[in-house]
Structure formats: structure tokens, C-alpha cells
Amino acid sequence: MKQQEEIKSKFIRTQKALILKPSMGIGVKVSKTRIISGLSCESREGDYVLKTDMPSQVGGNETGPTAGVLGRAALGSCLAIGYMMWASRLDVIIDSLEVHIVTKFDDGALFDTSDSPPGYTEIKYHVKVVSPSRKEDVENAINEGDKHSPYLDVFSRAQNCVRELEIKTT
């Protein structure tokens, strides 16, 4: 309960700041990823370092999760965090919350053996909430979380992806 009160207080304070100065909410982040060895990658952003890799059966070294694991975790954690933020903002008590992400895909597209798209063909998310609050209030908080979720938006809406290519010959 105390944590949710603190979340609500900081939510409202940030909301007020963004109302007064909307430009504070506009930003750019840069993540830098490089190949370490074979298919093993290291991604850095600020003080954070994440490692990704592929399974050995496709040539990876299995030194970290695949990019797909991180993508699903990004969606699941973004949803869970948003739900807690909105529940706190709306005074809905949450005792526990889980988000399960289930994706369907065809790896044949990655290996050029299928006409399927290389991304997910379906994403399902199952939200499990334990709360003493009224079901209608919990559902309202979850709906607000979905409505304002950055990664649900990223996964749901086509993004403008712009590639810049730099080649140095040796």
C-alpha cells in the first residue's frame, strides 16, 4: 500500500510537470549494440549492459537470451509497470500482478524457407491480478494501463523505421 501511495504521488507530480512543460516529455534515447563473437551481442545504454545471443543449433554461443526473449520481456514489463502506475493513480490496491506474453511466429521467415512475415503472427497477453478492490475498478486501471502503454503501442502500431548505413572498406 505504501509503495502504491508513493507511486501515485510521483505519478501526479510528473503529470503536473508535463502539463506545465510538455517538452519535458519529448526525448531521444540511444542504444548501441555490437557483435562480440559470432552471434553474441552486447547492447549498451547509459549504465546498462545487456547480452543477447542465439541457440547453438543456429550458430549462437548461448551466452544470453535471444532478442525475442528481451522483446517479450519488454512488452510484459512495460504492461505490468503501467498497470501498477495506473492502479496506484486510481487508488486501486493490487496485491499481486503478472503478465504472461504468448507469441506465435514462423522461424522459416528468418531462414528464408517461408512466406510468413519474420515477426510475430500473433501476440496474446494474459493479465493476472489479485486485488481487494472492486473488479470494475481493477479493470478500469488495466484499461488505462493498456491505453497509455508505450510498448503495447510499439507492438500494435506500425513504426517509422529509418535505416542509416555506414560502410568502411578495409
Side-chain angles (χ1 to χ4, degrees):
M1 180 70 180
K2 185 169 173 20
Q3 274 188 317
Q4 283 195 258
E5 289 172 10
E6 184 177 344
I7 292 167
K8 178 180 180 178
S9 171
K10 291 182 178 185
F11 184 106
I12 291 170
R13 186 177 71 218
T14 302
Q15 196 175 44
K16 286 178 182 176
L18 289 171
I19 288 168
L20 292 172
K21 192 170 181 185
S23 63
M24 287 176 51
I26 308 300
V28 174
K29 295 285 185 179
V30 177
S31 175
K32 188 182 217 177
T33 301
R34 64 186 182 101
I35 292 288
I36 301 298
S37 173
L39 301 177
S40 301
C41 294
E42 178 183 273
S43 300
R44 292 181 174 271
E45 186 172 325
D47 293 334
Y48 300 104
V49 179
L50 303 170
K51 294 185 187 279
T52 52
D53 204 343
M54 290 293 281
S56 59
Q57 67 262 29
V58 297
N61 298 308
E62 298 188 25
T63 61
T66 66
V69 170
L70 296 183
R72 289 183 293 276
L75 176 58
S77 59
C78 185
L79 287 168
I81 289 167
Y83 296 150
M84 283 303 292
M85 288 174 66
W86 278 98
S88 299
R89 174 65 179 91
L90 299 172
D91 295 319
V92 175
I93 304 304
I94 301 291
D95 291 334
S96 71
L97 188 144
E98 291 180 9
V99 178
H100 298 210
I101 304 295
V102 179
T103 58
K104 292 182 180 179
F105 55 90
D106 179 356
D107 271 345
L110 176 63
F111 294 96
D112 197 24
T113 63
S114 168
D115 290 333
S116 294
Y120 298 134
T121 55
E122 182 177 72
I123 300 171
K124 287 184 179 180
Y125 58 106
H126 180 83
V127 183
K128 294 172 69 172
V129 178
V130 176
S131 171
S133 298
R134 294 180 333 130
K135 283 186 177 186
E136 297 82 10
D137 295 337
V138 173
E139 186 173 5
N140 183 50
I142 298 303
N143 288 342
E144 286 299 313
D146 279 350
K147 182 174 152 186
H148 298 283
S149 173
Y151 271 85
L152 186 56
D153 180 64
V154 165
F155 276 82
S156 301
R157 181 176 54 87
Q159 304 294 308
N160 184 27
C161 297
V162 179
R163 181 182 74 188
E164 296 176 359
L165 177 62
E166 178 182 333
I167 300 174
K168 294 182 181 177
T169 58
T170 57

